[in-house]
Structures are given as structure tokens and as C-alpha cells.
Amino acid sequence: MFKEELNPVETIILRTLKSLKIEWDAEIVWSSTPFSGEWGFGTAIGFQAAAKDAAAKDSGVKNIPQRAQEIAQALVKAIGAPAGFVSVEAVRGYINLSIDPQVYARRVVDTILADGENFARGDAKTEKVMVEYSAPNTHKAFHVGHLRNVILGGAMANIFEFAGYETVRANYWGDIGWHVIKWLWCYLRFHKDEEPQGDRTRWMQEIYSQATQLVEDQPEMEEEARKLYKRWDARDPELIALWERTRSWSIEGIMQIYEVLGEHFDVFFFESEVEEPGKKLVEELITRNIAVDDRPNGGTVAIKLDELLGLDKETFRVLVVLRSDGSSLYATKDLHLAIKKFDEWNIDRSIYVIDVRQSLYMKQIFKTLEIMGFKQSLNCFHLAYEIVNLPGDVTMSSREGTVVMFDDLLQEAVKRARDIVQQKNPGLSEDLKAKVALSVALGGLKYPLLAVDTNKVATFDWESALNFEGQASPYIQYAHVRANSILARAGDIPAPVSPAYTLEAAEITLLDRLSRLPETVQRAAQDYKPLHLANYVYDLAREFTNFYQRCPVLRADENMRNFRLRLTAAARQTLKNSLALLGIQAPDVM
Ligand code: ARG
């Protein structure tokens, strides 16, 4: 936000470090300092330079803090009195620059309004990142467990993209395997020539449940279903055609869910396309003595990771890469897919959004790749997340009471949101009510899954999901609506203006928060934590609501009115941008 002012300061710092004979080739990182009569920026450059210098020269400098302060002082002396700042200080190895609060306040607001939807977008980075998420299985239900994955992965991809990384959104469909064979068998046996009716995903799931039950209860049925594997392995054209047709029903059904959720993907991978190359790769691993082929003794093909690495303590254990009958497993396919992602998409980092139960498995995959000599294995990252806990009031309409279908959840959310909108704003047109209800419902489903850390179980209940008071999406969306309604009453947004009055505490807090979205976006990308944004946008909503309740806007004198209207518009924009990163819409009315 203050690049113009900070750039010349950086130039002086770099020049001065050079003249002090301190090697420095990294970025200078500024963080905004909280209001203490003034606003400003600080950097720990004195410390960082002292530490670097001591390490580089092996100089025996013992007292780093003292050296840090000396460097900071030398830098401050060189910086002098740069344009735009009211003071420059060296404090315990830090350099702090302060800005006149009037100037700062105006700059925050002007920047946000000038940048609009691009406010807080990071500078383009050279790194290209792939985020694989969702990865549903075809021929099965799409349920609440899948929801946390899509919401988290989608938010993570939004954040990377906005932070400035070139971002590829990847999906990986589980379109083959025993679950598909069972389904095809059940279809041929009991549903031949039927076409999906109504909700496709539900219809697919119903056949899948039936298949599972039959196979579990009756051994002769299982045997019958397993026989189908033979036809599958022989690539029986009729069976393949059926598989293709039924698979596309599943994909179409799940694509509709993505559309409702506002998710899109740049690339689809399929288990079916990586199976054969995966098996070839396993052969190669056997030849290279990385995998042990125990099939002649009726065993599997496996990679004994701990043994290969010479680890006494059980760490990576054993990764089975091919079954005794030569059929593939997840690992067979994942090893090849991992390489394919880098090769075909030219990415620098590969992120897997998969639940925490797969943590050991992912470690095994990445370690195996490393042993194979695939260097980029170090740039693979498993973004693990915990399950979703559904208390009594959400478990509904599923047979065993465990799987809650996405569609049921959505319909219930829409119904509830509709009732709330009806209560709050009965005068809206039916059309608008429906639109608003959908965005409140979706926000209500998404936010609770993002507002808990990934390593914690997310609990979902209607009461808190659709709350207008606490940390919940409707409360945040409502702050946006309030900002919008003030601005609608005011007419045009006034021209840029500096506040010519002493800012209220509520304004200072709000301005401070607004100015922090850019760094919050970067931090969320660095830490793989959409949670930072979920917290940020809630704090922002609270602080805006506080401002709105304490500071008159429309009734204030001209300068105050104009500045506060612009501040309101800046808050509206920032709420919208932050919600968008979480995949949540900001309605104008509610
Ligand atoms: N389709 C799998 C499942 O539903 C998840 C696949 C995760 N992605 C991966 N590259 N292994 O269990």
C-alpha cells in the first residue's frame, strides 16, 4: 500500500548494507505496525542482517542483539527523513517508519477503492502450484465428508491464485476399482437398461448401497460380482461401454454439485488412465530393486521403506504397490500420477488435499518418489484435514444414519435460510429471496468447515451455521449488507478525501484491519490455512459493525461524512474480497 514510499527506503537500505560489507540478497519484509498514535511499518532487517553476517563471516560476533541495533542505527542514519514518513527509528534491531495517521487513513481507503476486486492481490510469483482436491469416486454418493475437502481445496486454490501464484486446480476421479465393478454387476443383474431419474448422484448411490449390501450379506453374490472382474480385465467392449456411460452419469451429477458450490477445475485426472502406466512403473521399481516382488510366493509387490532407508524404528513401514493377483492399488496409480502432474503441467509444487487418515500413505508415496530419484518429491505436500462431525440435528434421511448426502444438506440449508430471509425482509421479491437464501445457505455450509483448523474435527450444526450473531457466515454477510445499505442511501461514493478530524477508536481499528488483508492472504498461502482468512473476515465484520453502531455516517458533517462513506465502501469491498476467497458470496440485501 505504501510501495512508492517504501521503495526508495529499501534502495537506501540495500546500498548501506553493501557499504557495511554485509551480504544481503533476500527480500526486505515489512509488516504494518498497529496504531500507537501513528501508523507505520517495521522490518527486522537489523537482526536479519546481523545474523546473516555472523553466519557468513564466521565472525565470532557474539552479541547479535547489540550488532543488530548498530546496523539498524546505521541504516536509520542513512535513510534520513524520507518523503511520506513522519519519523524513522531504530528500536532493538528493528527499523520503524511512521506515517501521519491522516495520510495513512486516506491511503488505505483510496487504495482499496482504486483496486476494487483486486485489492490485496499479491504480486505475480514465479512458482506454479497445483492443488488437487475433491477427488470423488464415481458410482457413489457425494456426502458431507466430501464437502470439507472441496470447500477447503477450493479456498486454498483461491488463496494461492490471489496471493500471486499461477494455480492449477486439479481433480482426480476414482472411476475404477471394486466399487465400480460391484456397481456394474448390480446394475446388470437388477437394473438393466435403466436410466438415472432425478438426482443422478443419489440414484447412483442407491444402486451402490444395494450392491454393497448384497455382496456383504451373500457370499455367492460376492462371487458373482467378482467374476465381472474377468470381463473387465479382458476389456470386454460391452462392459467398457456400460462403464463409460454410467461413469458419465456420475460425473455429470457431481459436476452439478460443483456448479452449485461455485467450483471449477482446470484438469481432470482419472484413476483409469493412470492404472496401466502405474503398473509399468512398478515393473521398473522391481527391476531397480526398489520394490520386492513376492508374487511367486503368492505375496504382493511391496516397497519395504524402512528397510531400504536403514531405519530401525518403524517409520514409513511397507507400501504395497501391486496385489498378488497383479491388480492395482491406490499406490500403483499415485506414484505415476505424482510424476505426470509435474511433467505435463510444468508445476513447481504439488498439493494434495486429502483427509488425515491418509497421512502415512502420503508420506510413503512421497518417500518412494524420493528413493526413485524424483527430486520434486520434496515439492509435494499433503494438506491433511480432519473429519466433519455431525450432531443429531443434521443426521437425516440416510439409511444407516451415517452418510448425509450433499443434496439433502443443501436443500435443508436453503429451506432454513429462506425462512430467515422471509422473517428479516418479507418485502423482497420472491426471486431475490430465493437468490439470497441460496447464498446464505451456501455460506452457512462452507464457513464452519473453514473456520476450524484443518487438524481439528469440524462440527456442523444448523444453530451455529446460520447464526446472525456469532462467528458465522450470515453475520459476516449481514455486515456487507449493512455497508451496502448505507451506501445505497448516500448515492454516489464521494471523491477521495483525508479525514480532517481526529479519528475515533472504532475507525482506527477498522482501518487497521482493512490494511491487513494483503498480508493475511500471503500468510494463508504460506501456512496452507484458509483459517487465517476465515478469522480475518469475521474480525472485519465485527469491527465494521462496531464502527457502524458508534460512528454516525450519513448525519455527520461534510468532511466526516465523506470520509466515513469512503471507509464504509472500503469495508464493503474488503468484506466481499475476503469472502470470495472462501468461496462465499456477499449479498447486497438480506
Ligand atoms: N478417490 C479417493 C477416495 O475417494 C481419493 C483420492 C485422493 N487423491 C489421491 N491422489 N490419492 O478415497
Side-chain angles (χ1 to χ4, degrees), residues 132 135-137 146 172 174 271 330 334 337 341 352 354 361-362:
E132 180 213 289
N137 292 331
H146 296 111
Y172 177 45
E271 284 187 24
Y330 272 134
D334 262 322
L337 177 66
K341 283 176 174 177
Y352 293 74
I354 306 178
Y361 170 73
M362 292 316 294

Side-chain angles (χ1 to χ4, degrees), residues 491-551:
D492 291 337
I493 296 174
V497 57
S498 297
Y501 59 94
T502 311
L503 294 165
E504 295 281 343
E507 293 175 284
I508 289 170
T509 313
L510 178 58
L511 282 157
D512 207 61
R513 183 72 58 192
L514 292 171
S515 73
R516 285 174 196 278
L517 182 59
E519 67 197 48
T520 306
V521 170
Q522 295 301 325
R523 209 154 44 83
Q526 248 153 44
D527 299 351
Y528 298 100
K529 276 193 200 301
L531 174 66
H532 293 331
L533 274 156
N535 286 334
Y536 172 89
V537 71
Y538 170 59
D539 289 336
L540 175 57
R542 229 168 6 101
E543 287 158 2
F544 174 73
T545 306
N546 187 44
F547 158 76
Y548 167 94
Q549 283 163 350
R550 278 165 208 267
C551 303

Side-chain angles (χ1 to χ4, degrees), residues 342-512:
F342 282 92
D343 283 358
E344 286 181 3
W345 286 83
N346 217 354
I347 53 172
D348 301 294
R349 195 177 353 166
S350 183
I351 297 158
Y352 293 74
V353 181
I354 306 178
D355 76 67
V356 68
R357 290 166 299 184
Q358 301 299 317
S359 291
L360 172 64
Y361 170 73
M362 292 316 294
K363 278 199 195 101
Q364 293 177 320
I365 293 288
F366 299 157
K367 203 39 135 187
T368 303
L369 290 164
E370 194 186 324
I371 292 172
M372 285 165 54
F374 183 68
K375 296 246 163 39
Q376 281 153 309
S377 67
L378 299 175
N379 304 326
C380 293
F381 180 80
H382 175 205
L383 176 49
Y385 63 92
E386 266 291 351
I387 55 162
V388 183
N389 188 11
L390 302 172
D393 74 327
V394 188
T395 346
M396 47 186 186
S397 89
S398 73
R399 234 160 282 156
E400 296 92 8
T402 46
V403 178
V404 178
M405 301 276 280
F406 170 74
D407 200 58
D408 291 333
L409 197 67
L410 178 67
Q411 277 178 27
E412 176 77 16
V414 170
K415 190 175 123 279
R416 286 171 184 259
R418 204 35 252 203
D419 290 348
I420 296 170
V421 175
Q422 176 66 29
Q423 255 173 40
K424 289 220 177 261
N425 209 338
L428 291 184
S429 74
E430 289 308 303
D431 202 34
L432 202 51
K433 268 184 211 158
K435 261 201 201 122
V436 174
L438 182 61
S439 70
V440 172
L442 286 170
L445 293 179
K446 293 177 179 188
Y447 189 80
L449 302 180
L450 294 166
V452 255
D453 211 344
T454 43
N455 61 10
K456 299 220 173 69
V457 174
T459 301
F460 185 90
D461 65 87
W462 292 118
E463 195 63 15
S464 29
L466 295 176
N467 199 344
F468 274 79
E469 310 293 334
Q471 182 167 3
S473 175
Y475 173 79
I476 301 163
Q477 289 175 318
Y478 197 62
H480 182 266
V481 168
R482 276 182 160 159
N484 197 59
S485 81
I486 302 179
L487 293 163
R489 268 179 285 152
D492 291 337
I493 296 174
V497 57
S498 297
Y501 59 94
T502 311
L503 294 165
E504 295 281 343
E507 293 175 284
I508 289 170
T509 313
L510 178 58
L511 282 157
D512 207 61

Side-chain angles (χ1 to χ4, degrees), residues 30-31 33 40-44 76 85 87-92 94-98:
W30 299 98
S31 52
T33 49
F41 294 91
T43 175
V76 164
F85 297 99
S87 75
V88 183
E89 281 176 320
V91 187
R92 278 179 265 114
Y94 279 77
I95 297 180
N96 292 333
L97 299 160
S98 340

Side-chain angles (χ1 to χ4, degrees), residues 35 115 167 185 369 409 537:
F35 189 80
D115 291 354
T167 306
W185 162 77
L369 290 164
L409 197 67
V537 71

